[in-house]
Amino acid sequence: MAEEAILGYLAKNEEIGDSGEFASKHGLNHDEVVNVIKSLHGFRYVEAQDIKRESWVLTNEGKLYADTGSPEAQLFLAIPPEGGIPREELQIKLGPLLFKIGCAQAAKNRWVDMGGQQVTRRVQHVDDRVKDLLLKIKEGQVVDQDDIKALKARKLIVPQTWNGYSLKKGPDYAPQRKKFAADLTREMLQSGDWKNVEFKEYNFNAKGQPIEAGHLHPLNKVRHQLRMIFLQMGFEEMPTDRYVESSFWNFDALFQPQQHPARDSHDTFYLKVPSTTKELPEDYVERVKCVHESGGYGSRGYEYDWSREEANKNLLRTHTTAVSARMLYNLAQDTLKKPFTPKRYFSIDRVFRNEAVDRTHLAEFHQIEGLICDRGLTLGDLIGVLHDFFSRLGMSKLRFKPAYNPYTEPSMEIFSYHEGFGKWVEVGNSGMFRPEMLLPMGLPEDVRVIAWGLSLERPTMIMYGYNNIRDLFGHKVDLGLIKTNPICRLGL
Ligand code: PHE
């Protein structure tokens, strides 16, 4: 609107002398006109010269008197024409402030007689000039300089600078703004139009649009980095798509006795439907039963009656070592057909434990597990590979503490020195799988498996500064935080 009016006017006229007058003549809002002028000036359609004008605006007090009349006029009207009014009564009628101002001004104007106790009118009629002047100024009319001075002294008006422009055609004037092409299109190239089109210049100062996109959860980001570390170290990922597992693979295959407390329903979630597994490799089950009951391979076993029913029970896997057991069993099966080949395997996935939830524990979390399977491996190899692995996570000071797992011997808890916390923190668990686990599977006798595990949540919480696991995982997670989380890198 304003743009058309300005460019159209300049097509027929030399100049626009005053943007304020132009705006009111064309029924336009002056602020809008000013914005258009700035834009047209930027593109050199017009030349603009600043105009500054002092104008006057009413103060709050000025506005009040413009509505209700000046205090002196109010005072005059409050005095009865005949006989006057006692001072006190007049003061109560007007209020102390209006009374004070009104008295002073009315006396100066010689409108009233303040002598003695009684206030009386000195004239029959008064004109409220102050109110009239205020109304004139409000409407933007010109007022005499002496009157301005007087109103300003009474703080009924204050100056305000008015900014406007005078305009002339600019060097790139056109009666209509040219449309610039923002993109070079396939059609322009085909038709040859690109030769005639004027392209919009790049605005290198423009801010990019915020991108509304999907955001990866911190656990996903850290999992990705860990996966990369394992892949760089030559590990293959194991298939972990099996939350429901049989007790057999989760415990029995790992030489975990059936009376072990971890197998209690207070620690493990068992399934009601389907409550048992249908298929287990029977000859292998037989060997596992034997090793539990009476040992073999140089072991005494646990010397108890092993129950097939117990092994058949379905559960939510309590550790990803169940996956490792299946993989090692498959690897052993392969050696029936072809020579044994060493393997490096890893997994990162969810496990479940029947735990009371608190700020560091959830009933479901993620485990990271790595294992190497080769002939003649030693505890020294395990310590070496742990140093390699953990230093890639930024933990190069490690300590090991003897520990116990039913399926590893020896076993070691892994501690890392945390510079920020200034202390040693437990970062994982490790060991060499027992012969009672590996030999029933059918792996060659000199094959050893070194393995370690840790949670995904722990390093993620440390890196992202979470101190309550429920802020990281579960129904209390703040989605906004996932969008605004910083980029964190393991090992930096
Ligand atoms: N399965 C163990 C746990 O749940 C971790 C582990 C993996 C320990 C491999 C030793 C070897 O804590």
Side-chain angles (χ1 to χ4, degrees), residues 1-2 5-6 9 16-34 37 53 162-165 167:
M1 259 280 273
I6 293 169
Y9 188 89
I16 295 174
D18 183 312
S19 59
E21 283 167 19
F22 183 83
S24 54
K25 218 168 86 193
H26 289 80
L28 297 166
N29 173 300
H30 188 246
D31 288 341
E32 192 192 326
V33 169
V34 167
I37 291 170
R53 254 202 311 266
W162 177 91
N163 292 307
Y165 296 94
L167 301 179

Side-chain angles (χ1 to χ4, degrees), residues 319 321 353 367 369 405 407-408 429-431 451-453:
H319 53 185
T321 317
R353 289 187 192 174
Q367 274 190 337
E369 186 153 316
N405 294 307
Y407 39 91
T408 54
N429 185 4
S430 67
W452 71 99

Side-chain angles (χ1 to χ4, degrees), residues 15-78:
E15 65 163 17
I16 295 174
D18 183 312
S19 59
E21 283 167 19
F22 183 83
S24 54
K25 218 168 86 193
H26 289 80
L28 297 166
N29 173 300
H30 188 246
D31 288 341
E32 192 192 326
V33 169
V34 167
N35 281 338
V36 169
I37 291 170
K38 283 181 182 160
S39 164
L40 290 173
H41 179 68
F43 287 96
R44 314 210 306 169
Y45 281 85
V46 298
E47 258 166 30
Q49 209 94 59
D50 285 341
I51 310 175
K52 274 196 200 326
R53 254 202 311 266
E54 285 282 285
S55 70
W56 296 92
V57 286
L58 308 193
T59 60
N60 281 340
E61 194 183 354
K63 281 181 200 156
L64 184 71
Y65 301 161
D67 279 350
T68 57
S70 66
E72 53 269 37
Q74 291 187 56
L75 179 116
F76 180 84
L77 294 174

Side-chain angles (χ1 to χ4, degrees), residues 190-371:
Q190 277 175 338
S191 64
D193 272 357
W194 62 271
K195 288 181 213 155
N196 314 318
V197 172
E198 280 192 62
F199 288 94
K200 195 172 167 186
E201 287 194 26
Y202 280 112
N203 177 1
F204 293 107
N205 297 320
K207 287 215 173 92
Q209 292 238 4
I211 299 168
E212 196 48 57
H215 296 267
L216 290 178
H217 189 279
L219 285 173
N220 270 327
K221 292 195 265 194
V222 178
R223 182 173 70 169
H224 174 76
Q225 292 178 55
L226 277 152
R227 189 176 269 150
M228 289 302 135
I229 287 171
F230 274 118
L231 293 174
Q232 283 156 16
M233 290 175 71
F235 284 65
E236 290 170 47
E237 189 160 7
M238 297 186 269
T240 50
D241 50 351
R242 187 190 286 271
Y243 289 172
V244 174
E245 192 47 279
S246 62
S247 295
F248 179 78
W249 288 110
N250 194 80
F251 294 124
D252 296 280
L254 292 163
F255 196 53
Q256 189 146 338
Q258 293 186 327
Q259 319 74 0
H260 194 281
R263 298 178 70 142
D264 199 287
S265 63
H266 294 293
D267 291 286
T268 299
F269 291 117
Y270 286 92
L271 259 70
K272 280 199 183 125
V273 185
S275 63
T276 55
T277 184
K278 291 205 179 69
E279 255 182 307
L280 292 174
E282 292 304 331
D283 52 340
Y284 173 50
V285 170
E286 199 51 40
R287 293 197 294 275
V288 169
K289 171 183 156 78
C290 279
V291 80
H292 278 244
E293 289 187 340
S294 53
Y297 322 100
S299 168
R300 288 171 53 193
Y302 292 116
E303 299 179 348
Y304 70 100
D305 288 331
W306 185 83
S307 145
R308 175 64 187 259
E309 284 70 50
E310 191 60 40
N312 282 348
K313 282 185 186 168
N314 276 334
L315 46 73
L316 292 177
R317 69 172 175 226
T318 64
H319 53 185
T320 47
T321 317
V323 177
S324 305
R326 280 179 179 272
M327 287 303 284
L328 289 170
Y329 172 74
N330 290 341
L331 194 63
Q333 296 320 100
D334 290 347
T335 62
L336 299 175
K337 287 166 257 154
K338 54 183 192 210
F340 167 80
T341 40
K343 286 284 180 193
R344 291 164 177 241
Y345 289 135
F346 79 95
S347 64
I348 309 172
D349 209 346
R350 197 175 296 191
V351 300
F352 307 85
R353 289 187 192 174
N354 195 353
E355 281 202 84
V357 171
D358 63 25
R359 50 198 291 284
T360 53
H361 292 90
L362 288 177
E364 49 190 307
F365 63 101
H366 298 79
Q367 274 190 337
I368 305 162
E369 186 153 316
L371 60 95

